[in-house]
Amino acid sequence: GGGIYIDSGTHRFRNILVAANYIYGTVTCSLLGSGFYIINGAVTIENATIVTNTGSGIVSSGAIYRGGAANVSVYNSILWSNPSGDYTGTITFSNCCATGLAAGVNGNLTNDPLFVNTSVGDYRLQTAFPRWSVASNDWVHESQTSPCIDAGTNQIWMDSA
């Protein structure tokens, strides 16, 4: 995997950004999963933003590659702008935003999440409500609000966050 490689064990990734990873596969070396490569084990990904991960060459497998006997669940996360695709393999998605998901099933969305400015790595979500901008030292109002805001589900561990 270009970002995270898992071949066994139980793992939980929470509140992470996996961005701008790159893999390259050739005839003799096929690499999979530009963001995550998960071949075995149990993996839970929560509140993640997985964006702009790409690969090229013989195999192009998506930002999350699930293979082997891996059990992968993704909750309250955004997978977007991954040129090689957002995911490959059987993965459980709940309250996520990604192309290729069935909109409305398990609370999933397929709408553009409306990041503030991906070209400079600003993956915050746009909001029509005022937000403070450190760059301009002023309040900023975007013209749209991301469909991902308040679209997830709250979990007990979030109460004190």
Side-chain angles (χ1 to χ4, degrees):
I4 299 169
Y5 176 93
I6 299 166
D7 68 359
S8 65
T10 300
H11 306 275
R12 179 179 307 273
F13 297 90
R14 185 181 283 163
N15 301 327
I16 63 169
L17 171 66
V18 179
N21 293 290
Y22 178 80
I23 58 170
Y24 178 78
T26 66
V27 173
T28 58
C29 178
S30 294
L31 300 174
L32 305 168
S34 53
F36 281 87
Y37 174 90
I38 307 165
I39 194 65
N40 286 305
V43 176
T44 301
I45 301 168
E46 299 174 332
N47 306 323
T49 302
I50 304 169
V51 291
T52 63
N53 298 285
T54 191
S56 64
I58 301 301
V59 176
S60 179
S61 66
I64 301 176
Y65 173 80
R66 180 255 177 219
N71 181 3
V72 181
S73 299
V74 183
Y75 302 98
N76 295 344
S77 296
I78 300 171
L79 290 83
W80 205 260
S81 293
N82 296 293
S84 301
D86 291 326
Y87 62 94
T88 301
T90 303
I91 299 171
T92 300
F93 289 96
S94 294
N95 298 301
C96 292
C97 179
T99 56
L101 296 178
V105 175
N106 296 328
N108 293 320
L109 302 171
T110 57
N111 310 63
D112 183 337
L114 301 175
F115 294 117
V116 170
N117 188 349
T118 58
S119 64
V120 295
D122 189 346
Y123 298 108
R124 290 175 297 138
L125 299 174
Q126 290 184 31
T127 177
F129 298 100
R131 68 170 175 82
W132 185 256
S133 170
V134 174
S136 65
N137 199 32
D138 198 4
W139 291 98
V140 175
H141 301 260
E142 276 101 18
S143 62
Q144 304 177 76
T145 295
S146 169
C148 299
I149 293 177
D150 294 331
T153 181
N154 288 324
Q155 298 174 9
I156 292 172
W157 67 267
M158 294 176 172
D159 289 343
S160 62

